Amino acid sequence: MSEITFVGTAEQQSLAAEVFRLMVAQGQFFADDAPIRQTLGNLADFLAHLHQQEHAAMAAAIDAAIQENQQIFIRETGESDVIYTTSRLGMYHPRQDVNTHTYKQRLYHPEKPLPVDDISVVISTSRPVLTTVEPVFISDYWQQAPTHSTARELTEREPDEDGSGVAPPTDIPAPATLAEVALSDAEAEVVPPPPAEPVSTVQAVFTLPDGTAIDLSQPTPDLLQTHRHALSAALLYQIDNDPLNRLVRFGTLIYAGDNLPTLGKNDLRRIRDDIIEAGRPLLDATIIDDLYHSQRQADYEGFRFALNYRLSREKDFEYVGVPGANLWAAKGLPAIGTKRVKAAEMAQLTGYLPDGLDDSLEDQSFQAIQEQGEVSRFLTFFEWTYGVLPFDAALAALLPRPVLNDQRSAVLTFESPQHFTSYVVEVRYPTGNRGGWLQGLEEFFQEYLVAGALFTIARTDVPNVFTIRYDEAGEASERLLTLDEKKNKFGFTEISYFCMVDETRLLAQNVYGRFRNLKALPMNDRRKGDVVLRHVFEVLGENLGTRAEPRYQIELDTLVLAFTVLRPTSRPYVLDLIERDPAIVVADSGPISSSIPQSAKRRAMRMQMRMKKTVPTVRGSMMMMNDPAYEPLYDPTQVLSDEELRHKLAALAEPESRLAKRELAAFAGLDQAQVQALQSVWRSLDAARRHECVQAIQTLMEDTLELDFRSFLFGCLSDTDEHVRATAIESLWEEESALMLDWLLRLVADPAGSVRVAAVLSLSRFAYRASLAELDPASSQQLYTVLHDLTQDPRQPLDVRRRALEALGFFANQPAVGDLIDAAYRGDEQSLRESALVAMGRTVSAEFLPMIELELRSPSPAMRYEAARAAGEMADLALPLLPLLLPMVDEDDLEIALAAIWALGEIGGQRAHATLQRLLRSNAPERREAAQEALSQLDDDA
Amino acid sequence: MDAKGIIYGETALDQLMQWLHASGQPQELEAVIEQYLQLLRELVMEAQA
C-alpha cells in the first residue's frame, strides 16, 4: 500500500500535504499516473485567503515547502508563474512512448505466441459461438508491463527529533525504473527519490468488509468461535454476488460452480411431471431415484446439490423442505389445507404473533420444547373448524426453521400413531409483520377431536415427519358449537367424541348457548381485533344499561373464548385490544378463577363497555362512547354518478383492501338502472371478493337499518357465484315484494344446493303471509305447490326437503300437509323429525299436541328444543303442556331452557307468569333477560 | 503476501475451488470457511518465510 510522506519542518510538511490534497482533489478523475498541474499563484491565492495570510508570504512558504518535497512535486518555471506537477500516485513520471515497433510486431512477439498455427484462422467476419471459456494465452510481452498500486494513503510523517526527518514514499517506483524513463527538458529538474527501503514486515491481519479484523496468526477454531457470523456473512455475500459463479451455494452447502452437472429443460420438465404425478412435494432423493437412478451413482452428492441448486433458481419450483429433507413442490400441485381462509387472511389473522402478543410459552419454555421435542396444546374452535394452527413461539421451538433465506413455506408429514393415518401439513413461515401458521389438519381435527381437546405434536427421527396424538377417553356426546358453512351461521350439533377435553374450553350448548349468536363475520372483519372485540361484547355481554344506552359486561375468560371461535388469538392480544379501547373499562379484579386449571395467574376480570345510541333523524348507527372517530356513514344528500360508482366498485377489487363501511354505503339507495350500469365492473371482481362484499353489506344492513341495498342485492341474485346468490337471498330477508317471491320461486330450481336451501328458507316468510291471507290466491297456491313438490323430490338434498316441510306448516288448511308432517315425524331421519316438530307448531293445530307432549320428554336435546318451540307456536292451545314446560326453564341446556322460557311467554297463564317472575331473580343473565322479554310478550298480549 | 492485501472471498478463491473439486462433493459453509482461512494463512506465511 502506498504511503506518501512529506519532509521538511512540521509546517512545511503540513503545507506540502495541503497542496498535494488540493491537487489530488483537482485531478480526482484523472488516471493514477496522469500529471496534475497547478501554478504557485493560484495556490497562494487560495491558501492565503483560506489562512488569512499575506499573499507574498504564503507564496514564499508554499514554494519553500514544495522545494523540500521534490520527490513528490516537479517544479517548473513558466513564462509568468511557477508550475508544480504531481500525480495521484505521489509523483508524476512522464510516460515513455515506445514506437519502435508495430502492432503486427507486438502481436508476433515473441514469435507466434498465440496457440494457433495460422493467424488467418482467427480472422473471421462472423463471431463463432463460444460454448466454453478456454484459457487464453497471454504473451510475456504484455505481462511485463509495470503495475501500479492504486491504493494510496496520504500520511504525514511525524517529524524526527530534529524536526527534519526524511523518508521516501514506500511504494513509489524504484529508482532503477525511474532511471530508464527518458525525461524531457522540462522535466529535467525532477530529482529521483532515494531508494525505497522496506519499512514494514508482512502483516497477518486483514479486514472484512464490515470492518472486522481477522488475525491469521490465531488458530482457526478461535477465529471461528469469535468471528463465525462475520466470516460466514462475508463469504456468503461474496458467493451470492460473484458474477462468475465460481462458488455456488444451496442453503449452507457450497460447491465449485464449474463442477455442477447440468440439467436441461427436458430434465426440469421430467422433474415437474414427477412431482405432479406424485400429487405432493417430493424429496430430492426421491426425484433422483425416480428419474436418474441408473446414471448418477458415482457423483450422487454432486448431482443432488446440482438438482437443488438448479431448482432453487427456477420459478416453476418451490423449495418446501427442512434441514435434512429437501422437498420440492412444482407449479400445478394442489394446495394443501383449507381454501376457506385465504393465505393473506391467515397472515393477517396471525399478525398478533410478530407483535409479541404470544403466550404460547406460558406452560412450556422454549428450551423445554426443544429438549423434549414435543408441544401440547388445547384445540380452539377456529383451529378445529379450519384445520389450522398459529405458528407461535411454542411451535417455532419445535418445528424446523427455513433452509433458504426467502423460503415461504415447508411441507411436513404429520402421522397419527393412534389411527395409522398421515396428513400433509404446510408450515407458512412468518414474514415481517405477518404471522405464520400450519394448515392441512382439518381432517384429523374434525374426525378425532373437538374444540377444547388436548393434543400433542412431537418430533420423530425423520426431520420432516412429526406425530400428532391425543389422550383418549370414553365416548361422550354433547351438543357442541359448529359452523354451518351454508348459512354462514353458528349453531349446536350433537357430536360424539373420544378425547380428553378441558371442560372450560368445550363449547357445549348447555354452557355456551349464547355463542350461537356470534356472527360468522367475514374474515376481512375478523382480522380487525377491535371489530371482533366489540361484536363479542354486544352479543355475549350482559347489558347493564338500557336499550337506548347499553352498557355491556363480560367475563374476560368468556371474551377470550369467544375470540377463539372467530379467529386465532391469545390472551395478551385480547388484553392489548382492551387496553387500546377507551370505551372499555376493567371494572374490578376478582380472585383467581378456579374453573381454568391451566392458568393459575389468570385474573377474573370483569369489563364493561358502554355504548350509546345516536338519535339522528335519518341514521341509526351505533357508536362507541368516547369514540372521536365516529362519522356518519351515509350522506343522503350525496349523489354519485354512474362513473363514480363504477370507480368505487372497481376499487373494491383488490383482495387485500379493506371493505370499509363508508365505501360500501355508496351502493345503498341505487335504482335498477344504476345497478345495471355497475354489472360489468361487478362481474370483473373475483368471485370470492364479490362474496366478501355481499357479506359485508349484509353486516352493514344489520348495523345500519336505514341503508337500502335492495336494488344492489337483487342484482346479486343472478350472480354467477352460488355463495353470492345465497348470501344475497339471506340479506333480503325483509323483502316481501312480489318480485322477491318471483325470484325465490325461480331460485328453488337453482343448480346450487346452498342457493336452493336459502331460497326455501326465505319462502317460509311468504308461506306465513299466505297463512294470514296476505298473498293473492294464485301466488299462495303456486307457493304451496312448489313447497309440496320439493318435500317429495328425492333428488333434493335433505336440507331443502326439511326446510320445505317446515314452510308447509303454514299451509295447515291443505289436506296433504298433515300427512306429510306425520310421515316425516314417524320416519327414521332425525333432522326431518325435528323439522316435523317445527311444522307442527306452525300449523297451530291441536291434533299435533300429543306428539309435541311426547317429544318434550324426548331424550334427544334437539327434539326437546323443537318441541318447546312448537309448544310456544301453539300459544294457548299448549296450556295443557305447561306442566312439562315449566321445569324445562331450569334445564342445564341453555338453548332448551331459553326455548321453554320463550314458549311460556307465548302460551301465558298464571303459572307461566309466576315462573317467569321467578326467573327475573335468576343468577343466569341469559335466563333473566329471556324471562324479561317473555313477560313483555305476555303484557303485549294482555 | 501481506495480509493487508487480502480481499476476503476473492483472494485464493482458485485454491478454494480446487479444494472443493478435490473433495468431490459440496461442503458445509463452516468447513469451507475453515479451509479458506487455512489457505489464506498459508499465503501470508509463505510471504513471511
CSV table of all heavy atoms in Angstrom, one decimal, chain A residues 192-239:
chain,number,residue,atom,x,y,z
A,192,PRO,N,15.1,12.2,-8.6
A,192,PRO,CA,14.5,10.9,-8.2
A,192,PRO,C,14.6,10.7,-6.6
A,192,PRO,O,15.6,11.2,-6.0
A,192,PRO,CB,15.4,9.9,-8.9
A,192,PRO,CG,16.3,10.6,-9.7
A,192,PRO,CD,16.3,12.1,-9.4
A,193,PRO,N,13.6,10.1,-6.1
A,193,PRO,CA,13.6,9.9,-4.6
A,193,PRO,C,14.7,8.9,-4.3
A,193,PRO,O,15.1,8.1,-5.1
A,193,PRO,CB,12.2,9.3,-4.3
A,193,PRO,CG,11.8,8.7,-5.6
A,193,PRO,CD,12.4,9.5,-6.7
A,194,PRO,N,15.1,8.9,-3.0
A,194,PRO,CA,16.1,7.9,-2.6
A,194,PRO,C,15.5,6.5,-2.7
A,194,PRO,O,14.3,6.3,-2.7
A,194,PRO,CB,16.4,8.3,-1.2
A,194,PRO,CG,15.3,9.1,-0.7
A,194,PRO,CD,14.7,9.8,-2.0
A,195,PRO,N,16.4,5.5,-2.7
A,195,PRO,CA,15.9,4.1,-2.9
A,195,PRO,C,14.9,3.8,-1.7
A,195,PRO,O,15.1,4.2,-0.6
A,195,PRO,CB,17.1,3.3,-2.8
A,195,PRO,CG,18.3,4.2,-3.1
A,195,PRO,CD,17.8,5.5,-2.7
A,196,ALA,N,13.8,3.0,-2.1
A,196,ALA,CA,12.8,2.6,-1.1
A,196,ALA,C,13.4,1.5,-0.3
A,196,ALA,O,14.0,0.6,-0.8
A,196,ALA,CB,11.6,2.2,-1.9
A,197,GLU,N,13.2,1.6,1.0
A,197,GLU,CA,13.6,0.6,1.9
A,197,GLU,C,12.3,0.0,2.5
A,197,GLU,O,11.3,0.7,2.8
A,197,GLU,CB,14.4,1.2,3.0
A,197,GLU,CG,15.7,1.7,2.6
A,197,GLU,CD,16.7,0.7,2.2
A,197,GLU,OE1,16.5,-0.5,2.7
A,197,GLU,OE2,17.6,1.0,1.4
A,198,PRO,N,12.2,-1.4,2.6
A,198,PRO,CA,11.0,-1.9,3.3
A,198,PRO,C,10.9,-1.4,4.7
A,198,PRO,O,11.9,-1.5,5.4
A,198,PRO,CB,11.3,-3.5,3.2
A,198,PRO,CG,12.7,-3.6,3.0
A,198,PRO,CD,13.2,-2.4,2.3
A,199,VAL,N,9.7,-0.9,5.0
A,199,VAL,CA,9.6,-0.2,6.3
A,199,VAL,C,8.6,-1.1,7.2
A,199,VAL,O,8.5,-0.8,8.3
A,199,VAL,CB,9.0,1.2,6.2
A,199,VAL,CG1,10.1,2.1,5.6
A,199,VAL,CG2,7.7,1.2,5.4
A,200,SER,N,7.9,-2.0,6.6
A,200,SER,CA,7.0,-2.8,7.4
A,200,SER,C,7.2,-4.3,7.1
A,200,SER,O,7.5,-4.7,6.1
A,200,SER,CB,5.6,-2.4,7.2
A,200,SER,OG,5.3,-2.7,5.8
A,201,THR,N,7.0,-5.1,8.1
A,201,THR,CA,7.0,-6.5,7.9
A,201,THR,C,5.7,-7.0,7.4
A,201,THR,O,4.7,-6.3,7.5
A,201,THR,CB,7.4,-7.2,9.2
A,201,THR,OG1,6.4,-6.9,10.2
A,201,THR,CG2,8.7,-6.9,9.7
A,202,VAL,N,5.6,-8.2,6.9
A,202,VAL,CA,4.3,-8.8,6.4
A,202,VAL,C,3.3,-8.9,7.6
A,202,VAL,O,3.7,-9.4,8.6
A,202,VAL,CB,4.6,-10.1,5.8
A,202,VAL,CG1,3.2,-10.7,5.3
A,202,VAL,CG2,5.5,-9.9,4.6
A,203,GLN,N,2.2,-8.4,7.4
A,203,GLN,CA,1.1,-8.4,8.4
A,203,GLN,C,0.3,-9.7,8.3
A,203,GLN,O,0.1,-10.2,7.2
A,203,GLN,CB,0.2,-7.2,8.2
A,203,GLN,CG,0.9,-5.9,8.4
A,203,GLN,CD,1.2,-5.6,9.9
A,203,GLN,OE1,0.4,-5.9,10.7
A,203,GLN,NE2,2.4,-5.0,10.1
A,204,ALA,N,-0.3,-10.2,9.4
A,204,ALA,CA,-1.2,-11.3,9.4
A,204,ALA,C,-2.6,-11.0,9.6
A,204,ALA,O,-3.5,-11.8,9.8
A,204,ALA,CB,-0.7,-12.3,10.4
A,205,VAL,N,-2.9,-9.7,9.6
A,205,VAL,CA,-4.2,-9.2,9.9
A,205,VAL,C,-4.9,-8.6,8.6
A,205,VAL,O,-4.3,-7.8,8.0
A,205,VAL,CB,-4.2,-8.1,11.0
A,205,VAL,CG1,-5.7,-7.7,11.3
A,205,VAL,CG2,-3.6,-8.7,12.3
A,206,PHE,N,-6.1,-9.1,8.3
A,206,PHE,CA,-6.8,-8.5,7.2
A,206,PHE,C,-8.2,-8.1,7.7
A,206,PHE,O,-8.6,-8.5,8.8
A,206,PHE,CB,-6.9,-9.4,6.0
A,206,PHE,CG,-7.8,-10.6,6.2
A,206,PHE,CD1,-9.1,-10.5,5.7
A,206,PHE,CD2,-7.3,-11.8,6.7
A,206,PHE,CE1,-9.9,-11.6,5.9
A,206,PHE,CE2,-8.1,-12.9,6.9
A,206,PHE,CZ,-9.5,-12.8,6.4
A,207,THR,N,-8.9,-7.3,6.9
A,207,THR,CA,-10.1,-6.8,7.4
A,207,THR,C,-11.3,-7.2,6.5
A,207,THR,O,-11.2,-7.2,5.3
A,207,THR,CB,-10.0,-5.2,7.4
A,207,THR,OG1,-8.8,-4.8,8.0
A,207,THR,CG2,-11.2,-4.6,8.1
A,208,LEU,N,-12.4,-7.6,7.2
A,208,LEU,CA,-13.6,-8.0,6.4
A,208,LEU,C,-14.3,-6.7,6.0
A,208,LEU,O,-14.1,-5.6,6.6
A,208,LEU,CB,-14.5,-8.8,7.3
A,208,LEU,CG,-14.0,-10.2,7.7
A,208,LEU,CD1,-15.0,-10.9,8.6
A,208,LEU,CD2,-13.6,-11.1,6.5
A,209,PRO,N,-15.2,-6.8,5.0
A,209,PRO,CA,-15.9,-5.6,4.6
A,209,PRO,C,-16.6,-4.9,5.7
A,209,PRO,O,-16.8,-3.6,5.7
A,209,PRO,CB,-16.9,-6.1,3.5
A,209,PRO,CG,-16.3,-7.3,3.0
A,209,PRO,CD,-15.5,-7.9,4.2
A,210,ASP,N,-17.1,-5.6,6.7
A,210,ASP,CA,-17.8,-4.9,7.8
A,210,ASP,C,-16.8,-4.3,8.8
A,210,ASP,O,-17.3,-3.8,9.9
A,210,ASP,CB,-18.8,-5.9,8.5
A,210,ASP,CG,-18.1,-7.0,9.2
A,210,ASP,OD1,-16.8,-7.1,9.1
A,210,ASP,OD2,-18.7,-7.7,10.0
A,211,GLY,N,-15.5,-4.4,8.6
A,211,GLY,CA,-14.5,-3.8,9.5
A,211,GLY,C,-14.0,-4.7,10.5
A,211,GLY,O,-13.1,-4.4,11.2
A,212,THR,N,-14.4,-6.0,10.5
A,212,THR,CA,-13.9,-6.9,11.5
A,212,THR,C,-12.5,-7.3,11.1
A,212,THR,O,-12.2,-7.7,9.9
A,212,THR,CB,-14.8,-8.2,11.5
A,212,THR,OG1,-16.1,-7.9,11.7
A,212,THR,CG2,-14.3,-9.2,12.5
A,213,ALA,N,-11.5,-7.2,12.0
A,213,ALA,CA,-10.1,-7.5,11.8
A,213,ALA,C,-9.9,-9.0,12.0
A,213,ALA,O,-10.3,-9.5,13.1
A,213,ALA,CB,-9.2,-6.7,12.6
A,214,ILE,N,-9.4,-9.7,11.1
A,214,ILE,CA,-9.1,-11.2,11.2
A,214,ILE,C,-7.6,-11.4,11.3
A,214,ILE,O,-6.9,-11.1,10.4
A,214,ILE,CB,-9.7,-12.0,10.1
A,214,ILE,CG1,-11.2,-11.7,9.9
A,214,ILE,CG2,-9.4,-13.4,10.2
A,214,ILE,CD1,-12.1,-12.1,11.1
A,215,ASP,N,-7.1,-11.9,12.4
A,215,ASP,CA,-5.7,-12.1,12.6
A,215,ASP,C,-5.4,-13.6,12.3
A,215,ASP,O,-5.8,-14.5,13.1
A,215,ASP,CB,-5.4,-11.8,14.1
A,215,ASP,CG,-3.9,-11.9,14.3
A,215,ASP,OD1,-3.1,-12.3,13.4
A,215,ASP,OD2,-3.4,-11.5,15.4
A,216,LEU,N,-4.7,-13.8,11.2
A,216,LEU,CA,-4.5,-15.2,10.8
A,216,LEU,C,-3.5,-15.9,11.6
A,216,LEU,O,-3.3,-17.1,11.4
A,216,LEU,CB,-4.0,-15.2,9.3
A,216,LEU,CG,-5.1,-14.8,8.3
A,216,LEU,CD1,-4.6,-14.6,6.9
A,216,LEU,CD2,-6.2,-15.9,8.2
A,217,SER,N,-2.8,-15.1,12.5
A,217,SER,CA,-1.9,-15.8,13.4
A,217,SER,C,-2.6,-16.6,14.5
A,217,SER,O,-2.1,-17.4,15.2
A,217,SER,CB,-0.9,-14.9,14.0
A,217,SER,OG,-1.6,-13.9,14.8
A,218,GLN,N,-4.0,-16.3,14.6
A,218,GLN,CA,-4.8,-17.0,15.6
A,218,GLN,C,-5.2,-18.4,15.0
A,218,GLN,O,-5.4,-18.5,13.8
A,218,GLN,CB,-6.1,-16.2,15.9
A,218,GLN,CG,-5.8,-14.8,16.5
A,218,GLN,CD,-5.3,-14.9,17.9
A,218,GLN,OE1,-5.8,-15.7,18.7
A,218,GLN,NE2,-4.3,-14.2,18.2
A,219,PRO,N,-5.4,-19.4,15.9
A,219,PRO,CA,-5.8,-20.7,15.4
A,219,PRO,C,-7.3,-20.6,14.8
A,219,PRO,O,-8.1,-19.8,15.3
A,219,PRO,CB,-5.9,-21.6,16.6
A,219,PRO,CG,-5.1,-20.8,17.7
A,219,PRO,CD,-5.1,-19.4,17.3
A,220,THR,N,-7.5,-21.4,13.8
A,220,THR,CA,-8.8,-21.3,13.1
A,220,THR,C,-10.0,-21.5,14.0
A,220,THR,O,-11.0,-20.8,13.9
A,220,THR,CB,-8.8,-22.4,11.9
A,220,THR,OG1,-7.8,-22.1,11.1
A,220,THR,CG2,-10.2,-22.3,11.2
A,221,PRO,N,-9.9,-22.5,14.9
A,221,PRO,CA,-11.1,-22.7,15.8
A,221,PRO,C,-11.4,-21.4,16.6
A,221,PRO,O,-12.6,-21.0,16.9
A,221,PRO,CB,-10.7,-23.8,16.8
A,221,PRO,CG,-9.7,-24.6,16.0
A,221,PRO,CD,-8.9,-23.6,15.2
A,222,ASP,N,-10.3,-20.7,17.1
A,222,ASP,CA,-10.5,-19.4,17.8
A,222,ASP,C,-11.2,-18.4,16.9
A,222,ASP,O,-12.1,-17.7,17.4
A,222,ASP,CB,-9.2,-18.9,18.3
A,222,ASP,CG,-8.6,-19.8,19.4
A,222,ASP,OD1,-9.3,-20.8,19.7
A,222,ASP,OD2,-7.5,-19.6,19.9
A,223,LEU,N,-10.7,-18.3,15.7
A,223,LEU,CA,-11.3,-17.3,14.8
A,223,LEU,C,-12.7,-17.6,14.5
A,223,LEU,O,-13.6,-16.7,14.5
A,223,LEU,CB,-10.5,-17.3,13.4
A,223,LEU,CG,-9.1,-16.7,13.4
A,223,LEU,CD1,-8.4,-16.9,12.1
A,223,LEU,CD2,-9.2,-15.2,13.8
A,224,LEU,N,-13.0,-18.9,14.3
A,224,LEU,CA,-14.4,-19.3,14.1
A,224,LEU,C,-15.3,-19.0,15.3
A,224,LEU,O,-16.5,-18.5,15.1
A,224,LEU,CB,-14.5,-20.7,13.7
A,224,LEU,CG,-14.1,-21.1,12.3
A,224,LEU,CD1,-14.1,-22.6,12.1
A,224,LEU,CD2,-15.2,-20.5,11.3
A,225,GLN,N,-14.8,-19.2,16.4
A,225,GLN,CA,-15.6,-19.0,17.6
A,225,GLN,C,-15.9,-17.5,17.8
A,225,GLN,O,-17.0,-17.1,18.2
A,225,GLN,CB,-14.8,-19.5,18.9
A,225,GLN,CG,-15.7,-19.6,20.1
A,225,GLN,CD,-15.0,-20.3,21.3
A,225,GLN,OE1,-13.8,-20.6,21.2
A,225,GLN,NE2,-15.7,-20.4,22.3
A,226,THR,N,-14.9,-16.7,17.5
A,226,THR,CA,-15.1,-15.3,17.7
A,226,THR,C,-15.8,-14.6,16.6
A,226,THR,O,-16.6,-13.7,16.8
A,226,THR,CB,-13.7,-14.6,17.9
A,226,THR,OG1,-12.9,-15.4,18.7
A,226,THR,CG2,-13.8,-13.2,18.6
A,227,HIS,N,-15.5,-15.0,15.4
A,227,HIS,CA,-16.0,-14.2,14.2
A,227,HIS,C,-16.8,-15.1,13.3
A,227,HIS,O,-16.9,-14.8,12.1
A,227,HIS,CB,-14.8,-13.6,13.5
A,227,HIS,CG,-13.9,-12.8,14.3
A,227,HIS,ND1,-14.3,-11.6,14.9
A,227,HIS,CD2,-12.6,-12.9,14.6
A,227,HIS,CE1,-13.3,-11.0,15.6
A,227,HIS,NE2,-12.3,-11.8,15.4
A,228,ARG,N,-17.4,-16.1,13.8
A,228,ARG,CA,-18.1,-17.0,12.9
A,228,ARG,C,-19.2,-16.3,12.0
A,228,ARG,O,-19.2,-16.4,10.8
A,228,ARG,CB,-18.9,-18.1,13.7
A,228,ARG,CG,-19.6,-19.2,12.9
A,228,ARG,CD,-20.4,-20.1,13.8
A,228,ARG,NE,-19.6,-20.5,14.9
A,228,ARG,CZ,-18.9,-21.6,14.9
A,228,ARG,NH1,-18.8,-22.3,13.9
A,228,ARG,NH2,-18.2,-22.0,16.0
A,229,HIS,N,-19.9,-15.4,12.7
A,229,HIS,CA,-21.0,-14.8,12.0
A,229,HIS,C,-20.5,-13.9,10.9
A,229,HIS,O,-20.9,-13.9,9.7
A,229,HIS,CB,-21.9,-14.0,12.9
A,229,HIS,CG,-23.0,-13.2,12.2
A,229,HIS,ND1,-24.1,-13.9,11.7
A,229,HIS,CD2,-23.1,-11.9,11.9
A,229,HIS,CE1,-24.9,-13.0,11.1
A,229,HIS,NE2,-24.3,-11.8,11.2
A,230,ALA,N,-19.4,-13.0,11.2
A,230,ALA,CA,-18.9,-12.1,10.3
A,230,ALA,C,-18.2,-12.8,9.1
A,230,ALA,O,-18.4,-12.5,7.9
A,230,ALA,CB,-17.9,-11.2,11.0
A,231,LEU,N,-17.5,-13.9,9.4
A,231,LEU,CA,-16.8,-14.7,8.3
A,231,LEU,C,-17.9,-15.3,7.4
A,231,LEU,O,-17.7,-15.3,6.2
A,231,LEU,CB,-15.9,-15.8,9.0
A,231,LEU,CG,-14.6,-15.2,9.6
A,231,LEU,CD1,-14.0,-16.3,10.5
A,231,LEU,CD2,-13.6,-14.8,8.6
A,232,SER,N,-18.9,-15.9,8.0
A,232,SER,CA,-20.0,-16.5,7.2
A,232,SER,C,-20.7,-15.5,6.3
A,232,SER,O,-20.8,-15.8,5.1
A,232,SER,CB,-21.0,-17.2,8.1
A,232,SER,OG,-20.4,-18.1,9.0
A,233,ALA,N,-21.1,-14.4,7.0
A,233,ALA,CA,-21.9,-13.4,6.2
A,233,ALA,C,-21.0,-12.9,5.0
A,233,ALA,O,-21.5,-12.7,3.9
A,233,ALA,CB,-22.3,-12.3,7.1
A,234,ALA,N,-19.7,-12.6,5.3
A,234,ALA,CA,-18.9,-12.0,4.3
A,234,ALA,C,-18.7,-13.0,3.1
A,234,ALA,O,-18.8,-12.6,1.9
A,234,ALA,CB,-17.6,-11.6,4.9
A,235,LEU,N,-18.5,-14.3,3.5
A,235,LEU,CA,-18.2,-15.2,2.4
A,235,LEU,C,-19.5,-15.5,1.6
A,235,LEU,O,-19.5,-15.5,0.3
A,235,LEU,CB,-17.7,-16.6,3.0
A,235,LEU,CG,-17.2,-17.6,1.9
A,235,LEU,CD1,-16.1,-17.0,1.0
A,235,LEU,CD2,-16.8,-18.9,2.6
A,236,LEU,N,-20.6,-15.6,2.3
A,236,LEU,CA,-21.9,-15.8,1.6
A,236,LEU,C,-22.2,-14.6,0.7
A,236,LEU,O,-22.7,-14.8,-0.4
A,236,LEU,CB,-23.0,-16.1,2.6
A,236,LEU,CG,-22.9,-17.4,3.4
A,236,LEU,CD1,-24.1,-17.5,4.4
A,236,LEU,CD2,-23.0,-18.6,2.4
A,237,TYR,N,-21.9,-13.5,1.2
A,237,TYR,CA,-22.2,-12.3,0.3
A,237,TYR,C,-21.4,-12.3,-1.0
A,237,TYR,O,-21.9,-12.1,-2.0
A,237,TYR,CB,-21.9,-11.0,1.1
A,237,TYR,CG,-22.1,-9.8,0.3
A,237,TYR,CD1,-23.4,-9.2,0.2
A,237,TYR,CD2,-21.0,-9.2,-0.4
A,237,TYR,CE1,-23.6,-8.1,-0.5
A,237,TYR,CE2,-21.2,-8.0,-1.1
A,237,TYR,CZ,-22.5,-7.5,-1.2
A,237,TYR,OH,-22.7,-6.4,-2.0
A,238,GLN,N,-20.1,-12.7,-0.8
A,238,GLN,CA,-19.2,-12.8,-2.0
A,238,GLN,C,-19.7,-13.8,-2.9
A,238,GLN,O,-19.7,-13.6,-4.2
A,238,GLN,CB,-17.8,-13.1,-1.5
A,238,GLN,CG,-17.1,-12.0,-0.8
A,238,GLN,CD,-16.7,-10.8,-1.7
A,238,GLN,OE1,-16.7,-11.0,-2.9
A,238,GLN,NE2,-16.5,-9.6,-1.1
A,239,ILE,N,-20.1,-15.0,-2.4
A,239,ILE,CA,-20.6,-16.1,-3.2
A,239,ILE,C,-21.8,-15.6,-4.0
A,239,ILE,O,-22.0,-15.8,-5.2
A,239,ILE,CB,-20.9,-17.3,-2.4
A,239,ILE,CG1,-19.6,-17.9,-1.8
A,239,ILE,CG2,-21.6,-18.4,-3.2
A,239,ILE,CD1,-19.7,-19.0,-0.8
